[in-house]
């Protein structure tokens, strides 16, 4: 049987949907699909390595609904968030006569979620989308909130807001996740602790390692609640609320790009958070103790906290492609204290250069 730990409801203007969080949910996917009235044709978009381990469970679950699924195997890595891979998926959908009532199941980390989500958003002007996030980062962040995108001469340049019909978060999936990927997801969990729910930081400072199942379940539930509440308040990132979740991301994305994606997303966000916190200190908003606390928590989970060998000018030139640049000024989320972020509209390249050299 499955063990449902919590259901986080996300209520946005465009769609209301549940995020089911628990153990062993994959074997009972049919239960969650039929609860949400999904039937007809399914396309399972994932990576071969994940299909090999989990594909059988998903397909037999779908078969129990008297439906079938086309499997679409996408190569691993950020490079798959591309126009080229997108059109290959469209081809499979057209060849298999997918219609407006068909469903795409995005089974994987943030790369699959973004790519398959963008496919669902655009195919036939939008078809059903089920997110089954398999990395910690995707479970606590990218599967909720409807931001879907591919890369085009820069990160997430072509995209949409497109909420899923439901999210099925099976915590058992994290057991096969390499530790580097798990820790990378913790960077986003730590971000929620810094920006929204300080209790998360207390849990991470005091828990045993490796994290027990019940602690992981609590951290994932708390993080999903943070994300859901913020998305509900500002679905399309227009009110200076959702943007708070970009803490660490502006510098982080630039670091990710400058490293040619050798530094993964969560690691880059970890480093980005440290420098955006340092910038907050440099500009007189934040007490330096907070930076030390942040560095300690990140280090406890093996996350990097400095740019080390990276070319600082490359990081700065990557910043130019960031969507948060408004009228030529860099918008950054800075901190006044834990749980108290602010938007700063006018950060100069010079001060970012200075802080990256610290
Ligand atoms: N849309 C959003 O709101 C949002 C938010 C944050 C990040 N993102 C995007 O997410 C992407 C990064 O996502 P990610 O960190 O999940 O990386 P990823 O999707 O590349 O997954 C990392 C690796 O883990 C493997 N993997 C996934 N699940 C596994 C499992 N259960 N067991 C074993 N291996 C597994 C994958 O095959 C892959 O090689 C970036 O493209 C980023 O832009 C999107």
């Amino acid at each position: 049987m499955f063990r449902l730990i919590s259901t986080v409801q996300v209520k946005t203007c465009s769609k209301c949907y549940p995020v089911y969080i628990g153990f062993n949910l994959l074997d009972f996917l049919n239960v969650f699909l039929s609860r949400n009235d999904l039937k007809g044709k399914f396309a399972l978009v994932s990576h071969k390595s994940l299909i090999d381990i989990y594909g059988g469970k998903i397909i037999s679950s779908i078969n129990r609904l008297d439906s079938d699924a086309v499997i679409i195997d996408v190569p691993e890595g950020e490079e798959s968030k591309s126009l080229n891979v997108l059109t290959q998926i469209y081809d499979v959908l057209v060849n298999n006569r997918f219609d407006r009532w068909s469903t795409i199941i995005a089974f994987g980390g943030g790369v699959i979620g973004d790519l398959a989500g963008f496919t669902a958003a655009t195919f036939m002007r939008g078809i059903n989308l089920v997110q089954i996030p398999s990395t910690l980062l995707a479970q606590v962040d990218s599967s909720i909130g409807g931001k879907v995108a591919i890369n085009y001469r820069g990160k997430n340049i072509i995209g949409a807001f497109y909420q899923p019909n439901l999210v099925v978060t099976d915590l058992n999936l994290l057991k096969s996740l390499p530790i580097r990927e798990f820790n990378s997801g913790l960077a986003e969990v730590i971000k929620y602790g810094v920006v929204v729910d300080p209790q998360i930081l207390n849990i991470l400072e005091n828990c045993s390692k490796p994290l027990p199942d019940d602690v992981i379940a609590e951290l994932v539930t708390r993080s999903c609640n943070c994300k859901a509440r913020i998305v509900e308040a500002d679905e399309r990132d227009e009110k200076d609320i959702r943007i708070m979740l970009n803490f660490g991301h502006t510098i982080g994305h630039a670091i990710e790009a400058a490293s040619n994606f050798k530094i993964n997303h969560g690691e880059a966000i970890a480093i980005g958070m440290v420098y955006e916190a340092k910038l907050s200190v440099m500009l007189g908003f934040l007490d330096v103790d907070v930076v030390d606390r942040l560095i300690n928590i990140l280090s406890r989970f093996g996350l990097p906290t400095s740019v080390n060998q990276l070319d600082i000018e490359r990081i700065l030139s990557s910043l130019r492609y960031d969507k948060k640049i408004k009228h030529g000024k860099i918008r950054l989320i800075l901190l006044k204290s834990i749980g108290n972020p602010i938007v700063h509209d006018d950060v100069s390249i010079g001060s970012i250069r200075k802080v990256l050299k610290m």
Side-chain angles (χ1 to χ4, degrees):
M1 214 26 212
F2 61 88
R3 190 151 68 93
L4 190 62
I5 302 287
S6 55
T7 304
V8 174
Q9 294 290 344
V10 189
K11 298 181 188 115
T12 69
C13 299
S14 65
K15 222 179 259 174
C16 296
Y17 56 96
V19 180
Y20 300 109
I21 301 168
F23 295 91
N24 213 23
L25 306 190
L26 215 53
D27 299 75
F28 296 88
L29 183 61
N30 53 310
V31 173
F32 301 104
L33 294 176
S34 54
R35 257 188 216 180
N36 291 275
D37 287 330
L38 294 181
K39 41 188 180 275
K41 285 178 189 280
F42 290 89
L44 173 61
V45 181
S46 191
H47 302 307
K48 183 177 182 310
S49 59
L50 293 176
I51 295 164
D52 285 349
I53 312 176
Y54 302 107
K57 289 180 186 209
I58 297 179
I59 300 297
S60 35
S61 213
I62 289 173
N63 290 343
R64 266 177 254 137
L65 295 172
D66 286 333
S67 293
D68 220 338
V70 177
I71 296 176
I72 304 179
D73 164 18
V74 166
E76 299 191 19
E78 186 69 27
E79 301 74 24
S80 282
K81 280 173 58 174
S82 66
L83 278 177
N84 187 25
V85 176
L86 180 70
T87 52
Q88 289 171 18
I89 301 177
Y90 289 148
D91 280 337
V92 177
L93 299 181
V94 172
N95 292 342
N96 285 279
R97 298 178 190 283
F98 270 58
D99 58 32
R100 283 170 48 209
W101 296 273
S102 305
T103 301
I104 289 189
I105 298 180
F107 175 51
V111 164
I112 289 288
D114 280 9
L115 170 71
F118 186 72
T119 313
T122 48
F123 187 76
M124 303 244 169
R125 299 195 188 92
I127 62 173
N128 297 318
L129 171 65
V130 178
Q131 291 277 7
I132 308 182
S134 66
T135 62
L136 181 59
L137 177 136
Q139 296 193 343
V140 298
D141 187 5
S142 56
S143 62
I144 302 173
K147 281 192 181 176
V148 293
I150 57 168
N151 302 327
Y152 179 73
R153 299 179 61 187
K155 207 169 152 65
N156 298 332
I157 295 295
I158 301 177
F161 287 95
Y162 195 70
Q163 306 293 343
N165 297 60
L166 69 150
V167 182
V168 179
T169 294
D170 188 337
L171 299 170
N172 277 348
L173 290 169
L174 300 177
K175 297 197 193 314
S176 60
L177 197 63
I179 186 73
R180 184 179 172 201
E181 292 299 337
F182 183 84
N183 289 344
S184 169
L186 276 180
E188 297 285 359
V189 175
I190 292 167
K191 177 198 73 183
Y192 291 120
V194 173
V195 172
V196 188
D197 178 3
Q199 180 59 16
I200 288 177
L201 298 185
N202 298 335
I203 295 172
L204 286 168
E205 282 168 326
N206 296 308
C207 60
S208 57
K209 275 177 45 185
L211 296 177
D213 276 357
D214 60 327
V215 174
I216 293 177
E218 175 163 14
L219 290 170
V220 171
T221 300
R222 278 183 177 275
S223 299
C224 290
N225 266 312
C226 292
K227 179 86 188 246
R229 300 297 78 84
I230 288 209
V231 166
E232 284 171 356
D234 183 15
E235 181 181 5
R236 294 179 71 89
D237 217 346
E238 294 163 333
K239 298 180 190 160
D240 281 0
I241 299 173
R242 187 164 180 174
I243 196 178
M244 298 300 175
L245 294 182
N246 278 317
F247 175 64
H249 282 59
T250 304
I251 293 181
H253 280 162
I255 287 171
E256 198 181 3
S259 77
N260 279 332
F261 300 97
K262 288 195 178 69
I263 295 180
N264 72 25
H265 181 78
E267 291 165 345
I269 281 3
I271 304 170
M273 285 195 286
V274 171
Y275 285 98
E276 291 183 15
K278 283 183 177 178
L279 200 57
S280 309
V281 174
M282 199 174 96
L283 297 175
F285 294 113
L286 184 69
D287 195 291
V288 71
D289 291 352
V290 177
V291 179
D292 296 337
R293 186 177 179 204
L294 179 59
I295 290 176
N296 281 337
I297 298 173
L298 293 168
S299 308
R300 181 160 199 244
F301 294 97
L303 286 160
T305 55
S306 96
V307 283
N308 274 338
Q309 317 288 348
L310 280 181
D311 180 345
I312 288 174
E313 292 310 315
R314 252 189 106 179
I315 299 173
L316 294 174
S317 76
S318 299
L319 266 176
R320 281 190 208 110
Y321 286 96
D322 198 286
K323 292 187 293 305
K324 281 153 306 279
I325 295 190
K326 205 173 177 183
H327 311 309
K329 306 244 168 96
I330 300 180
R331 294 193 98 194
L332 273 183
I333 307 308
L334 300 180
L335 281 181
K336 281 182 144 175
S337 60
I338 295 291
N340 193 4
I342 46 162
V343 186
H344 197 299
D345 269 315
D346 189 11
V347 181
S348 71
I349 283 279
S351 49
I352 297 180
R353 182 181 283 111
K354 195 168 161 192
V355 90
L356 288 174
K357 286 182 177 167
M358 283 167 86

